[in-house]
Amino acid sequence: MNAQPTPQTAGHPRRWAILGVLVISLLVVVLDNTVLNVALRIIADPQRGLGATQSELEWAINSYTLVFAGLLFTAGILADRLGRRITLITGLTLFGIASLISAYADSPDQLIAARAVMGLGAAAVMPATLSIIANVFDPRERARAIGVWAGAVGLAVALGPILGGFLLEHFWWGSVFLINVPIVIVGVALVAILVPESRDPKPGRIDVFGVLLSIIGLTLLTYGVIKGGEDGFGEPLSWGPIVGGVLVLIGFVLYERRIEFPSLDVRLFGNRQFSASTGMIGLVFFAAMGSMFFGAFYLQLVRGYGPLASGALFVPFAVGQMVFAPISSNMVKKFGPKAVSTAGLLLVALGLAAWLPIGADTPIAVVAFAFFLMGVGMANVMPPATESIMAALPREKAGVGSAVSNTIRQLGGALGVAVLGAVLSSVYRDNLGTATDGLPGAAADAARESISGAYAVAAQAGPAGPALIQSANESFVTAMHWAAVGSLVFALLGAVVAVLFLPGKRPAEQPAPVLAEEQGVALAEA
């Protein structure tokens, strides 16, 4: 029996306790990614870690992203049909088992494979949490609940680097994955006890062909983006999958427009607020995730901070999200989504611009302030954008809406890391100059590949080591500035989208429109 709210109850009676359980479920997924960022350098170490190369480190991140992004949409559809609680429990269980395997991986390849399974579990968890929120909360409270949900992301961003840094300074590298297991056990137990089951009461025929098209298209597109970040976007293994993925997704859209029971009503993208909201999510995550990528290497290598100290410097970003995301719905009511989202994106841009003068000796408080500005900005972009997407679909299709939001976010983040990572690598190599002259061929190649490689070579280079490190630092800082410019451009582009397409403040007597009704779809409640 579906336990969904009715107009009389105006939401599930245990909705705030349920939200707390969903936050725990969300924490473990987000926590893992932020923990991994501070562990990359140790995993690359042959003695303390697995001796992973730069490419293997990227795939430890990207195998997760590839599976996650490729299956998010499908997981949202299945959650609506099979039940959101059982989907959430299944996803958490898979995530916990894969975390245990990751913790005891003996090689980079094993870690990459286990991370892919973690991506499968996370793909089930993420849309289920947001769609359950849409079902247990009345639309009048939903924006506030989504703000708390988004603030939980900030909490995980804060806890991840600190917890990861503490574990890495006291235990072996695998402990950063092992910490997921007890959280998953607690999460599964609480979900089983508190969260009601809900599903689409009239799912219609399953759109098997459309689901397959979405998986193929999203996987090809994500793979091409990842390969572009590694090898450059001029390579056939990069642009080929990207072009193929785009063509398949175009075919998916055309097919969905013609069938009676589509997986996604693509006519929703004709709604300007819906399209603008999805676009803003992709653009802001492109900018933010790219900056997080180069920021982690800057703090641990150029500045020489250990995992715990570098993790602590990400806390201002998280604090900005935790404090401001839960109150963003009140800001939207007072000033309108256009003003709030535009201000948020401009704050993200300002935080990115703060990276432009940062060098090897800049006071570290400047870096912390840049992260804080970005966190405050994202806190005023993500909740209103996510609420607009969820409001555009009837409640029984909440899994699909959540999947759209999370898929765009993952693709934006993957593009940010890939594109800005490619810029970072290219400018770094171009500026390294003659610093590797005189080194053996393999050592010179490693030093030119990345700043991590340069540090590894310098440790074995004797008297020539300090000069190589200085040149590598200078080259990396220059490359970081160019990558920051790229991030800044995309954040400003997001602000332009908000100004042009989001609605302004509505008169006090005018209720907010229900976007689903604008598409001719009424909210259905069981």
mmCIF file of all heavy atoms in Angstrom, residues 14 28 34-35 177 266 268 282 313 315 344 367 380 424 436 465 491:
data_model
loop_
_atom_site.group_PDB
_atom_site.id
_atom_site.type_symbol
_atom_site.label_atom_id
_atom_site.label_comp_id
_atom_site.label_asym_id
_atom_site.label_seq_id
_atom_site.Cartn_x
_atom_site.Cartn_y
_atom_site.Cartn_z
ATOM 1 N N ARG A 14 5.160 12.064 9.579
ATOM 2 C CA ARG A 14 6.554 11.905 10.010
ATOM 3 C C ARG A 14 7.522 12.525 9.005
ATOM 4 O O ARG A 14 8.691 12.139 8.943
ATOM 5 C CB ARG A 14 6.891 10.425 10.181
ATOM 6 C CG ARG A 14 6.113 9.707 11.266
ATOM 7 C CD ARG A 14 6.790 8.378 11.639
ATOM 8 N NE ARG A 14 7.016 7.536 10.466
ATOM 9 C CZ ARG A 14 6.159 6.609 10.031
ATOM 10 N NH1 ARG A 14 5.016 6.432 10.663
ATOM 11 N NH2 ARG A 14 6.446 5.871 8.970
ATOM 12 N N VAL A 28 26.132 9.807 2.777
ATOM 13 C CA VAL A 28 27.129 8.786 2.484
ATOM 14 C C VAL A 28 27.595 8.872 1.031
ATOM 15 O O VAL A 28 28.777 8.653 0.731
ATOM 16 C CB VAL A 28 26.583 7.374 2.814
ATOM 17 C CG1 VAL A 28 25.506 6.942 1.839
ATOM 18 C CG2 VAL A 28 27.704 6.356 2.843
ATOM 19 N N THR A 34 33.909 13.621 -1.672
ATOM 20 C CA THR A 34 34.780 14.623 -1.063
ATOM 21 C C THR A 34 35.929 13.971 -0.316
ATOM 22 O O THR A 34 37.033 14.511 -0.264
ATOM 23 C CB THR A 34 33.976 15.531 -0.111
ATOM 24 O OG1 THR A 34 33.300 14.708 0.858
ATOM 25 C CG2 THR A 34 32.944 16.338 -0.865
ATOM 26 N N VAL A 35 35.690 12.783 0.273
ATOM 27 C CA VAL A 35 36.761 12.048 0.938
ATOM 28 C C VAL A 35 37.816 11.628 -0.081
ATOM 29 O O VAL A 35 39.018 11.735 0.153
ATOM 30 C CB VAL A 35 36.187 10.811 1.671
ATOM 31 C CG1 VAL A 35 37.287 9.836 2.036
ATOM 32 C CG2 VAL A 35 35.470 11.239 2.937
ATOM 33 N N PHE A 177 37.178 4.652 2.550
ATOM 34 C CA PHE A 177 36.021 3.951 1.991
ATOM 35 C C PHE A 177 35.314 3.120 3.054
ATOM 36 O O PHE A 177 34.091 2.978 3.024
ATOM 37 C CB PHE A 177 36.459 3.045 0.839
ATOM 38 C CG PHE A 177 37.017 3.789 -0.333
ATOM 39 C CD1 PHE A 177 38.382 3.767 -0.600
ATOM 40 C CD2 PHE A 177 36.193 4.528 -1.155
ATOM 41 C CE1 PHE A 177 38.906 4.454 -1.675
ATOM 42 C CE2 PHE A 177 36.706 5.224 -2.244
ATOM 43 C CZ PHE A 177 38.066 5.192 -2.506
ATOM 44 N N VAL A 266 9.144 15.045 -22.849
ATOM 45 C CA VAL A 266 10.141 16.030 -23.290
ATOM 46 C C VAL A 266 9.512 17.382 -23.580
ATOM 47 O O VAL A 266 10.232 18.377 -23.745
ATOM 48 C CB VAL A 266 10.902 15.515 -24.534
ATOM 49 C CG1 VAL A 266 11.739 14.303 -24.168
ATOM 50 C CG2 VAL A 266 9.941 15.188 -25.670
ATOM 51 N N LEU A 268 8.195 19.104 -21.493
ATOM 52 C CA LEU A 268 8.525 19.927 -20.325
ATOM 53 C C LEU A 268 9.646 20.910 -20.636
ATOM 54 O O LEU A 268 9.701 21.998 -20.067
ATOM 55 C CB LEU A 268 8.937 19.040 -19.149
ATOM 56 C CG LEU A 268 7.811 18.265 -18.448
ATOM 57 C CD1 LEU A 268 8.395 17.245 -17.495
ATOM 58 C CD2 LEU A 268 6.901 19.231 -17.706
ATOM 59 N N GLY A 282 23.562 22.533 -14.553
ATOM 60 C CA GLY A 282 24.712 22.049 -15.305
ATOM 61 C C GLY A 282 25.857 23.052 -15.333
ATOM 62 O O GLY A 282 27.022 22.687 -15.142
ATOM 63 N N LEU A 313 40.227 23.280 4.660
ATOM 64 C CA LEU A 313 40.081 24.496 3.873
ATOM 65 C C LEU A 313 38.884 24.449 2.918
ATOM 66 O O LEU A 313 38.509 25.470 2.343
ATOM 67 C CB LEU A 313 41.373 24.780 3.102
ATOM 68 C CG LEU A 313 42.508 25.311 3.987
ATOM 69 C CD1 LEU A 313 43.848 25.216 3.293
ATOM 70 C CD2 LEU A 313 42.212 26.756 4.386
ATOM 71 N N VAL A 315 36.026 23.533 4.164
ATOM 72 C CA VAL A 315 34.904 23.731 5.079
ATOM 73 C C VAL A 315 34.148 25.034 4.813
ATOM 74 O O VAL A 315 32.908 25.048 4.874
ATOM 75 C CB VAL A 315 35.384 23.651 6.543
ATOM 76 C CG1 VAL A 315 34.292 24.089 7.514
ATOM 77 C CG2 VAL A 315 35.832 22.232 6.871
ATOM 78 N N GLY A 344 23.124 34.392 -6.725
ATOM 79 C CA GLY A 344 23.898 33.206 -6.375
ATOM 80 C C GLY A 344 24.976 32.902 -7.396
ATOM 81 O O GLY A 344 26.127 32.623 -7.041
ATOM 82 N N VAL A 367 42.047 31.940 -0.011
ATOM 83 C CA VAL A 367 41.509 30.702 -0.577
ATOM 84 C C VAL A 367 40.234 30.293 0.169
ATOM 85 O O VAL A 367 39.227 29.935 -0.452
ATOM 86 C CB VAL A 367 42.566 29.580 -0.496
ATOM 87 C CG1 VAL A 367 41.975 28.262 -0.986
ATOM 88 C CG2 VAL A 367 43.796 29.947 -1.313
ATOM 89 N N ASN A 380 22.197 29.405 -3.133
ATOM 90 C CA ASN A 380 21.087 30.196 -3.660
ATOM 91 C C ASN A 380 20.787 29.889 -5.122
ATOM 92 O O ASN A 380 19.972 30.579 -5.739
ATOM 93 C CB ASN A 380 21.402 31.686 -3.497
ATOM 94 C CG ASN A 380 21.292 32.135 -2.058
ATOM 95 O OD1 ASN A 380 20.207 32.267 -1.521
ATOM 96 N ND2 ASN A 380 22.435 32.342 -1.407
ATOM 97 N N LEU A 424 44.074 22.663 -17.684
ATOM 98 C CA LEU A 424 45.107 22.643 -16.649
ATOM 99 C C LEU A 424 46.337 21.881 -17.137
ATOM 100 O O LEU A 424 47.472 22.376 -17.020
ATOM 101 C CB LEU A 424 44.539 21.987 -15.387
ATOM 102 C CG LEU A 424 45.276 22.193 -14.070
ATOM 103 C CD1 LEU A 424 45.128 23.623 -13.586
ATOM 104 C CD2 LEU A 424 44.726 21.229 -13.008
ATOM 105 N N THR A 436 62.549 20.017 -17.392
ATOM 106 C CA THR A 436 62.772 18.564 -17.411
ATOM 107 C C THR A 436 63.977 18.170 -18.258
ATOM 108 O O THR A 436 64.256 16.978 -18.404
ATOM 109 C CB THR A 436 61.524 17.841 -17.939
ATOM 110 O OG1 THR A 436 61.216 18.335 -19.261
ATOM 111 C CG2 THR A 436 60.329 18.066 -17.031
ATOM 112 N N GLY A 465 66.133 18.366 -7.688
ATOM 113 C CA GLY A 465 64.746 18.301 -7.258
ATOM 114 C C GLY A 465 64.109 19.634 -6.931
ATOM 115 O O GLY A 465 63.020 19.943 -7.431
ATOM 116 N N ALA A 491 30.153 30.233 -15.007
ATOM 117 C CA ALA A 491 29.306 30.776 -13.942
ATOM 118 C C ALA A 491 28.572 32.026 -14.428
ATOM 119 O O ALA A 491 27.376 32.211 -14.144
ATOM 120 C CB ALA A 491 30.150 31.097 -12.719
#
